[in-house]
Amino acid sequence: MGRQLSTPTAILLGSAMIAAAVYLGLRHGPAAVPPDPRAAEGAASHRGELASSAGPAERARASGESAPALQRAPSVPREEVARQAARALDAHRPALVERCYRPAVAAQPAPREVKYVFNLTFDAQGRQIARGVIEDRETSRPEVTACLLAALPPVAVAPTGSSVRVDVPFSLP
């Protein structure tokens, strides 16, 4: 019967073999893969195109220099965007009360008030690009929520200069 290796010795020998294999495999590095000649041609012609047609930021980026500060429209404060979104939602309140709230209250009077928090995201031009709604559990009326989401068109605010996400409380009636 032959000699057997202990577990720590076997782990040590296995680790040494793996380390040797990794070392020998990485010795040649990326040079083992031949470069694509089309990539070099495309990069040279692309740099020429950038130099002739791009703005200063793109030319600086292509040449490796630090890019000048990009000019952007000034951003509107998040609080102002939230106020504008609240006004836009309030403009739809009378129609939503008639279409969604009154039929639900006629069928079941309690709870009298339905509370929501709208999560609205606007792009730089002030257009709504995403909308979510959080419904208060204590005043929940699923039929009103479903109607509200179907009936409420996308809201808009004044151009913000950048993407802005706001939370806006809203309640019916």
Side-chain angles (χ1 to χ4, degrees):
M1 194 151 123
R3 246 178 91 162
Q4 292 186 347
L5 296 174
S6 68
T7 303
T9 306
I11 291 173
L12 182 63
L13 287 174
S15 298
M17 288 191 303
I18 291 172
V22 169
Y23 172 75
L24 293 173
L26 292 178
R27 235 177 36 179
H28 297 290
V33 178
D36 186 4
R38 293 175 293 167
E41 291 171 10
S45 68
H46 183 66
R47 276 193 295 272
E49 291 170 8
L50 274 178
S52 62
S53 66
E58 288 84 7
R59 283 194 298 267
R61 221 176 285 120
S63 66
E65 300 170 8
S66 63
L70 296 177
Q71 295 182 2
R72 295 174 59 165
S75 291
V76 177
R78 185 180 306 270
E79 296 79 23
E80 177 59 28
V81 175
R83 281 192 290 276
Q84 291 178 19
R87 283 194 298 269
L89 289 172
D90 284 340
H92 295 286
R93 184 184 307 276
L96 294 172
V97 167
E98 287 302 316
R99 181 172 174 183
C100 302
Y101 179 77
R102 290 205 195 279
V105 170
Q108 181 181 359
R112 297 295 295 172
E113 184 179 35
V114 187
K115 297 178 184 178
Y116 302 100
V117 175
F118 278 95
N119 309 113
L120 301 166
T121 304
F122 300 98
D123 64 8
Q125 288 75 38
R127 295 179 301 225
Q128 176 186 309
I129 55 175
R131 175 173 67 193
V133 67
I134 300 170
E135 185 177 22
D136 183 87
R137 284 183 194 225
E138 295 174 10
T139 64
S140 176
R141 286 182 173 263
E143 69 280 4
V144 175
T145 304
C147 177
L148 178 82
L149 293 175
L152 185 64
V155 297
V157 296
T160 59
S162 63
S163 180
V164 178
R165 182 189 158 288
V166 294
D167 292 334
V168 180
F170 185 75
S171 63
L172 292 175

